[in-house]
Amino acid sequence: HKGTIVLFIGVECPVARFYAPRLQSISDRSSKQGIQAVAVASNVHDSDADLAQFATEYDFRIPIVADREQQIARQLGA
């Protein structure tokens, strides 16, 4: 891969919900250029079921990494 887009999402966040289709579109276009996307869910209350429901509801095919201990968020300064 040429690079990675790291997105931080929260399944209850209205902004994440609004932009989910657009983020998926950007990811689809970027992958053709060798750039992958990954979504990081750092909210402690977002369960695996919540993440799966979000992905299904918004046809969000970007891999979602649960970061409930917020280690990734801290490492990247989010």
Side-chain angles (χ1 to χ4, degrees), residues 6-10 16 23 38-42 67 72-74 76-78:
V6 180
L7 312 164
F8 285 87
I9 63 166
L23 294 171
V38 63
V40 179
S42 295
D67 182 36
I72 298 169
R74 278 195 296 278
L76 296 179

Side-chain angles (χ1 to χ4, degrees), residues 26-60:
I26 291 168
S27 173
D28 292 343
R29 284 181 284 150
S30 298
S31 69
K32 294 174 185 172
Q33 299 172 13
I35 300 170
Q36 66 182 10
V38 63
V40 179
S42 295
N43 292 338
V44 295
H45 61 275
D46 288 349
S47 69
D48 290 342
D50 294 334
L51 298 175
Q53 181 179 353
F54 177 88
T56 299
E57 185 175 341
Y58 293 97
D59 192 24
F60 196 76

